[in-house]
Amino acid sequence: ESNAFQCDEFLIDLENVSFSYPGQGQVLNGLNFQLRKGERLGLIGPNGSGKSTFMHLLMGLIKPDSGSVRLFGQPMEGEKDFKQARKRLGFVFQNADDQLFSPTVVEDVAFGLLNNGKTPKEAVALSKKMLQALDLDGFEDRITYKLSGGEKKLVSLATVLVMEPDVLLLDEPTTGLDEQTVRRIVDLLNDLDMGYVVVSHEFDFLAKTTRDIFAMKNGQIRFQCTSDKFKPAG
Ligand code: ADP
C-alpha cells in the first residue's frame, strides 16, 4: 500500500495516477484528485489535456498504468469493484446521443430502473416524476431521436438522476446547447443535493455551478482555485 493513511470523507480519491493510450505519450501524468461528499468541483483545461480520459478512468472504462483509484472508500482493483462503484456514479456523457438509445423518452429514463429490478409500473412512475422535476412534463412518449439537442441533454440528465447516484460526473455538459438550456442546467445543478465533478472549457459555467475549479495541464492538475477567483490569465 502506497499510502499509510486515508480520509473517510473522500468519495473519489486518485493517487498518483498515470495513463497512456497504446502507442501514445503519457496522457495522465501522476494525477492526484479528491472529491468529498457533497463537493462540487470543476475541471478545466485546454483540448487534449486529459479531461475526458480522467472521467473515463473514474468510470473504470480505462485502467491506470500506475497509481491508485479509490471510490467510496474502496480500492478499485478490478472490473468487479468498478461495477459496484458505477452504481453510485452518475455519468453524463458529453454527447447525449451516447446516452439515449430507446425509441421513447420514458423508455430511456426507465431503463436503468428496470435493470435494477424495479417493476415496470414503479419504473414508469419514477421516470414521470423525474421528467416533471426537470420541467419535461408530457415528454414521456416523445420520440427520443426527434428531440432538440437541448431536450436530449435534459433527458440524458433525467436518465442519470433518476438512478439517484451519490456523485454526478458531467463531461462538457454545455456543448452545443443554447443559452436557455445552459441556464436550465445551471439552475438544475445548483438545486441538486449531490456532489459532482463537471468538466467544461467554459469557466463562466463552472463559476456558476462549482465551488472549486481544478486547472488541468498536460495530464496533471496544475492548481486549484475557488471558482469566484478563477479567471483567464493575462
Ligand atoms: P480533453 O478531454 O482534455 O480534450 P482527452 O482526454 O480527450 O483530452 O485526450 C487527451 C489525449 O489523449 C489527447 O492527446 C488525445 O488525442 C488522446 N486520446 C484521447 N482518447 C484517445 C483514444 N481513445 N485513443 C488514443 N488517444 C486518445
Side-chain angles (χ1 to χ4, degrees):
E1 189 63 28
S2 54
N3 198 339
F5 300 99
Q6 64 183 71
C7 174
D8 259 349
E9 272 189 315
F10 295 157
L11 300 187
I12 297 175
D13 183 11
L14 263 55
E15 186 191 355
N16 205 15
V17 164
S18 295
F19 175 82
S20 52
Y21 293 101
Q24 301 227 3
Q26 199 114 313
V27 173
L28 299 180
N29 232 320
L31 196 76
N32 289 290
F33 179 89
Q34 289 85 28
L35 176 97
R36 288 176 167 79
K37 192 164 189 284
E39 264 187 324
R40 292 141 180 248
L41 303 180
L43 198 65
I44 199 166
N47 268 336
S49 57
K51 303 183 299 297
S52 293
T53 302
F54 164 81
M55 285 295 210
H56 293 156
L57 202 118
L58 289 181
M59 290 299 288
L61 305 178
I62 53 175
K63 303 284 155 31
D65 301 329
S66 60
S68 78
V69 178
R70 214 173 241 280
L71 298 175
F72 309 109
Q74 299 300 315
M76 296 294 110
E77 275 152 9
E79 182 51 26
K80 228 175 101 191
D81 303 318
F82 276 109
K83 207 174 162 196
Q84 281 305 111
R86 271 199 290 268
K87 292 182 185 160
R88 302 176 62 183
L89 291 173
F91 187 63
V92 182
F93 286 82
Q94 177 168 358
N95 183 352
D97 288 322
D98 291 337
Q99 199 120 36
L100 306 175
F101 44 80
S102 302
T104 65
V105 167
V106 70
E107 286 170 281
D108 255 328
V109 182
F111 181 84
L113 296 168
L114 291 169
N115 238 2
N116 271 8
K118 292 266 190 281
T119 67
K121 205 174 153 185
E122 286 171 326
V124 168
L126 287 169
S127 300
K128 284 188 177 171
K129 212 169 130 192
M130 190 73 242
L131 289 166
Q132 271 164 17
L134 296 186
D135 285 327
L136 296 171
D137 312 64
F139 269 65
E140 293 90 82
D141 298 323
R142 295 276 295 271
I143 307 297
T144 310
Y145 83 87
K146 288 188 182 170
L147 299 176
S148 73
E151 290 166 345
K152 280 184 186 171
K153 179 56 85 176
L154 291 166
V155 170
S156 80
L157 274 158
T159 68
V160 172
L161 292 175
V162 79
M163 302 302 289
E164 301 184 336
D166 290 322
V167 175
L168 206 56
L169 305 173
L170 303 118
D171 192 359
E172 296 281 0
T174 63
T175 302
L177 299 186
D178 57 88
E179 264 177 58
Q180 195 204 337
T181 311
V182 172
R183 270 200 302 274
R184 280 176 78 176
I185 292 177
V186 168
D187 291 344
L188 176 71
L189 291 179
N190 280 307
D191 284 344
L192 287 179
D193 286 327
M194 69 193 75
Y196 49 77
V197 183
V198 51
V199 164
S200 176
H201 60 279
E202 293 184 47
F203 74 89
D204 266 357
F205 176 76
L206 291 181
K208 288 180 192 147
T209 54
T210 66
R211 203 200 61 191
D212 287 284
I213 300 178
F214 291 80
M216 238 178 130
K217 193 178 168 184
N218 298 330
Q220 284 180 327
I221 288 166
R222 214 189 68 71
F223 66 88
Q224 175 183 0
C225 180
T226 55
S227 48
D228 58 326
K229 300 277 191 283
F230 192 86
K231 59 178 183 132

